[in-house]
Amino acid sequence: MSVAELTYDAQLKLLFRATVNPEEFRFILIQYNHFSLVGKVVQALKAKYPDRPMLRLKIADENYSSLIQKLTTHEGLVMIEDFNRLLDDPDMYVGFNQRRDRISRLPIQLICFLPEGPRYIRDCMEKLRDWWSIRNLVLHLRTEVPSEEKRTLEAPQEVSSLGGYNASEKKEELQRLLNRISELESTGEASELLDNLYSQALQILEDLGLYRQGLELAEKWLSKARQEGKTEVELANIYNWFGTFCQYLGEYQRAREFHQKALEIFEKNFGPDHPDTARSYSNLATVLQALG
C-alpha cells in the first residue's frame, strides 16, 4: 500500500515518527486537497510537541532574504504554508537550492505544504532537485470538501509562471507555441526542439485548465513520436502527460494505465531512486487514491 492510500490518522503517525527528534533536520512535503488540512496538521503538531518552537511562514509575505534569514535563525518546527509559490518564483527556488547544504545542517523540521496534483511534485523534482534528493517524507492528505466549495476548488488555478502570469498572457504564448509546432512539423526538422515546444504547450494547457485540449495535443505528440521511432523513455514522458490529463478529466482507469506504463519504463531504465521514477510513483499513487 502506498502512502497516498493510508488514512489521515495513519499518515499523521508517519509525520510524528519523522519529526520525533528535534535535533535532526527533516524535509517533508505534504499535499492536501483542501486548505483546512494545513491548519489541522499545524494544530496536531502543536499538541504533539507543545514545548517545541514553531514558525509558520508564507512565501507570499516573504522575499528571498527574509525567508533564508528566518530559516537559518530558527530551531524546531518550520511550516511553509504556500510552498507552491516558491516553485513559481525562479529567484526563490534557485536561491533555495543554493542554500540547501547550509539549511539541512540545522536542527529544524521543515514541513512544506502543496495543493494536491501531480504538477507540484513534478515541479519539486525538476526545480528543487537538490532538495528532492534529501526529502524524508511525502504525504498526501485528503478530507471531505464541503459541497459549496467544490466548484471553486475545481476551477483552474494559474500556478505556473510559464507563458505569463495571467490567462491572457498564457493564451497568447500558447498560440505562439502551437504556431511554431505547426511550422516546424511542416519542415520535418528540429525534432528535439519540437519535443520541448510540445511540453511547454501542454504545461500551459494544464495551467489554463484546458484538459481536453491538452489530451488531444498529447495524443498528437504521441502519434508523431511513435512514427519517428522515439525511445521508450521519450515515450514515457508523453505517457505521463497522457495520464495527467486523463486524471483531470476523471478518466482514472485510463490515467492509471498510462502512469503505470511510464513507471515501468523509468524503473527499468533508471532504477527506483531516479527523479523520473519517483514522479511516476507519485502520479500513480494520486490516481489510485482517486480510484479508492
Side-chain angles (χ1 to χ4, degrees):
M1 178 181 290
S2 68
V3 171
E5 296 176 277
L6 298 176
T7 65
Y8 170 84
D9 288 339
Q11 293 192 58
L12 199 61
K13 288 180 181 178
L14 292 178
L15 178 61
F16 291 157
R17 190 181 305 165
T19 55
V20 67
N21 189 342
E23 300 300 320
E24 290 183 345
F25 174 81
R26 288 290 184 264
F27 176 50
I28 297 167
L29 294 166
I30 300 180
Q31 286 198 285
Y32 59 85
N33 73 322
H34 191 264
F35 57 84
S36 63
L37 285 168
V38 175
K40 189 175 180 181
V41 170
V42 169
Q43 291 304 314
L45 287 166
K46 283 184 177 180
K48 181 69 174 178
Y49 307 118
D51 299 323
R52 192 177 304 184
M54 179 179 291
L55 176 64
R56 297 177 67 174
L57 297 174
K58 289 186 178 180
I59 299 299
D61 299 330
E62 306 292 339
N63 56 42
Y64 171 70
S65 297
S66 67
L67 174 67
I68 298 303
Q69 190 272 334
K70 290 177 181 178
L71 287 175
T72 54
T73 56
H74 180 80
E75 294 184 3
L77 294 160
V78 179
M79 265 75 68
I80 300 181
E81 300 181 16
D82 55 350
F83 196 60
N84 50 298
R85 286 181 177 268
L86 181 143
L87 297 172
D88 287 336
D89 187 331
D91 290 336
M92 278 281 200
Y93 66 71
V94 169
F96 194 63
N97 264 327
Q98 293 172 344
R99 295 295 184 274
R100 187 206 70 169
D101 289 346
R102 179 184 177 188
I103 295 171
S104 63
R105 288 194 293 267
L106 301 173
I108 63 173
Q109 299 77 56
L110 181 58
I111 302 171
C112 302
F113 293 90
L114 293 163
E116 185 179 66
R119 168 197 305 156
Y120 300 103
I121 295 298
R122 182 171 66 241
D123 279 353
C124 283
M125 289 187 289
E126 293 176 355
K127 297 177 180 179
L128 297 175
R129 288 181 179 271
D130 292 341
W131 281 93
W132 182 258
S133 67
I134 64 167
R135 71 195 185 282
N136 300 104
L137 185 64
V138 180
L139 300 178
H140 304 267
L141 302 180
R142 294 183 62 81
T143 188
E144 184 65 28
V145 178
S147 58
E148 65 271 15
E149 295 184 25
K150 285 185 177 179
R151 178 174 295 181
T152 300
L153 290 173
E154 291 169 358
Q157 301 294 313
E158 292 179 14
V159 298
S160 168
S161 60
L162 179 63
Y165 288 93
N166 57 56
S168 177
E169 291 177 355
K170 287 177 182 290
K171 288 177 181 178
E172 184 176 336
E173 176 63 8
L174 174 63
Q175 190 57 56
R176 187 193 71 79
L177 290 169
L178 295 176
N179 290 342
R180 183 62 173 150
I181 288 171
S182 297
E183 178 186 336
L184 289 174
E185 286 183 336
S186 67
T187 65
E189 299 177 359
S191 177
E192 186 174 340
L193 175 58
L194 265 173
D195 288 343
N196 186 42
L197 293 174
Y198 268 112
S199 183
Q200 290 183 55
L202 289 172
Q203 179 65 70
I204 293 177
L205 286 167
E206 183 184 17
D207 290 347
L208 291 170
L210 300 175
Y211 306 136
R212 181 62 63 185
Q213 190 175 342
L215 184 58
E216 292 171 356
L217 187 64
E219 288 174 341
K220 178 183 176 183
W221 185 14
L222 180 60
S223 175
K224 182 174 180 60
R226 284 173 170 165
Q227 290 174 6
E228 294 177 351
K230 294 283 189 180
T231 67
E232 64 175 2
V233 170
E234 290 172 314
L235 293 178
N237 286 316
I238 307 176
Y239 293 154
N240 267 333
W241 277 114
F242 251 94
T244 295
F245 285 114
C246 286
Q247 181 181 340
Y248 282 131
L249 292 167
E251 300 174 12
Y252 296 118
Q253 287 291 357
R254 197 176 180 205
R256 177 180 182 175
E257 292 172 9
F258 281 108
H259 284 316
Q260 184 70 53
K261 282 183 182 179
L263 174 59
E264 290 171 358
I265 291 171
F266 287 135
E267 195 165 30
K268 181 179 76 173
N269 285 273
F270 301 138
D273 298 323
H274 191 274
D276 288 338
T277 308
R279 178 180 65 182
S280 292
Y281 271 121
S282 178
N283 289 343
L284 184 59
T286 303
V287 172
L288 291 173
Q289 186 176 42
L291 285 169

